[in-house]
Amino acid sequence: MASKPIVKWNTFVSAHQQFNERAHRYAYGKRGREGPFALSEAVRESLQDRSSLSLKATNARARIEFCRAARRIMRRIVKPTLDRPAYFLTLSPINFVTSAAEAETYDWSMLQKWAEEQLKGFCYFGIVDAAPYANTPRGREKVVSWHIHAIVWNASRDEMQALKDSINKRHQSLLPNRDAAHFRVRSSWKGLRQSLTYMLKAPLKTYRVYPIKDSNKRPTGEYRQKKDWHRSGEAAAVCRFMHGAEIDKLCVAGLEGREILKDVAARSVATIREQDATRVRALIRAVG
């Protein structure tokens, strides 16, 4: 059964903790240490608690604190209403789909630059995400769909619709019956908070594509997709292709969003430092 979207805080925390446990089991098991599917020492290091200060993209603690900071800072600045909503925008052109092998050396700055061109003049805060596919409409080829999720505000519905239409006229998505650009209106903080939480998760799930058939069980040419929690090897693959990425460096931002990004990164690092200092003091008291 396909899993539900990660939009609640408790689910976000537990999902990253479970990913961390699964990745650690692989990384320090026989397959993760030896043979053709072994993870490098640098990849294993990114999973360690001490790497959270560098905001490594596959580090569970870093993801949790970065999202916590973003939720607090965004709430102060972005206040959506029915008359002035915010928008949850996804940009996923097929131009930025790579094979699983190519994903390990992919330069996501190309996607960031493209997104910044599309969003010029908008207030936004977003991030590069990656969706691993176990198959595609063409067959069992494993690919990674690199895409952007962003929160956009201080824009009208007409402006967002024009942006969406413009991108979809020029770009296709991996699935022929899906748009390369789409957005959802967020007219309350609750809805915006859920989108922000979803946006800032790590790549925690693998996608699988299924053809849609008509009443006579003949393919219609359209497809649906399901996503499920990674198996251990799939979690390891994420660790490989996200290696070297830092959460704040994956982000994109425009106008007011630039200050938000700066504040979120600073606050998340400060929180991790405070937590570490508290742990040290507690340890000193325990042994003193």
Side-chain angles (χ1 to χ4, degrees):
M1 181 180 295
S3 55
K4 295 181 179 179
I6 300 171
V7 297
K8 295 181 180 180
W9 177 247
N10 289 341
T11 304
F12 182 96
V13 172
S14 64
H16 285 84
Q17 291 171 340
Q18 290 169 21
F19 173 85
N20 187 53
E21 292 171 4
R22 191 174 295 115
H24 267 82
R25 282 198 302 269
Y26 183 96
Y28 294 96
K30 186 174 181 178
R31 290 187 70 197
R33 291 181 290 105
E34 304 172 4
F37 302 107
L39 298 179
S40 69
E41 183 60 35
V43 171
R44 292 199 296 271
E45 178 67 22
S46 294
L47 297 170
Q48 297 300 317
D49 192 71
R50 57 181 171 269
S51 293
S52 58
L53 267 177
S54 300
L55 298 180
K56 296 299 184 184
T58 54
N59 188 281
R61 185 183 176 197
R63 283 280 180 175
I64 290 168
E65 295 309 329
F66 194 89
C67 185
R68 193 197 309 272
R71 283 160 56 108
R72 290 175 177 172
I73 290 169
M74 286 283 283
R75 186 169 191 174
R76 292 202 310 262
I77 297 172
V78 184
K79 301 180 183 298
T81 64
L82 285 172
D83 294 332
R84 293 178 60 83
Y87 308 89
F88 181 47
L89 175 69
T90 299
L91 304 175
S92 55
I94 197 171
N95 313 53
F96 303 104
V97 175
T98 68
S99 69
E102 292 170 335
E104 295 189 25
T105 56
Y106 181 69
D107 179 8
W108 51 80
S109 69
M110 297 186 297
L111 172 57
Q112 290 174 312
K113 290 174 183 176
W114 175 83
E116 288 165 355
E117 290 175 2
Q118 313 308 308
L119 292 169
K120 187 175 182 180
F122 288 93
C123 289
Y124 65 93
F125 169 50
I127 191 168
V128 172
D129 195 6
Y133 279 79
N135 68 320
T136 73
R138 297 184 298 274
R140 294 189 176 183
E141 177 190 10
K142 292 184 178 181
V143 302
V144 176
S145 175
W146 298 88
H147 57 283
I148 293 280
H149 291 303
I151 304 295
V152 183
W153 64 99
N154 290 348
S156 70
R157 286 178 172 83
D158 287 345
E159 288 173 324
M160 292 301 295
Q161 188 63 46
L163 173 67
K164 173 186 170 181
D165 292 344
S166 174
I167 293 173
N168 287 331
K169 285 178 182 177
R170 293 177 285 117
H171 299 278
Q172 295 180 326
S173 66
L174 176 62
L175 302 189
N177 53 304
R178 289 179 175 256
D179 288 337
H182 59 86
F183 66 87
R184 294 182 179 179
V185 178
R186 294 300 184 224
S187 56
S188 70
W189 167 245
K190 179 181 179 181
L192 182 60
R193 180 185 63 205
Q194 291 179 340
S195 294
L196 181 63
T197 302
Y198 179 86
M199 178 180 92
L200 293 176
K201 62 176 176 46
L204 299 175
K205 300 177 183 180
T206 296
Y207 291 67
R208 290 174 173 81
V209 173
Y210 303 88
I212 297 174
K213 298 181 180 181
D214 62 20
S215 57
N216 295 316
K217 297 185 178 180
R218 292 176 300 191
T220 63
E222 297 186 344
Y223 295 83
R224 59 189 174 92
Q225 62 185 24
K226 290 184 179 180
K227 45 189 174 179
D228 297 285
W229 302 109
H230 295 315
R231 299 163 185 168
S232 59
E234 292 166 342
V238 170
C239 292
R240 289 190 191 94
F241 68 67
M242 295 298 290
H243 173 60
E246 297 172 354
I247 303 169
D248 57 327
K249 302 301 189 303
L250 288 171
C251 290
V252 292
L255 301 181
E256 284 184 302
R258 296 192 186 100
E259 195 64 27
I260 289 176
L261 171 56
K262 179 181 176 181
D263 290 347
V264 169
R267 180 162 185 163
S268 54
V269 169
T271 298
I272 292 169
R273 289 189 187 279
E274 290 169 6
Q275 292 171 348
D276 287 345
T278 299
R279 291 177 183 178
V280 170
R281 290 194 295 269
L283 180 61
I284 291 173
R285 287 196 299 270
V287 300

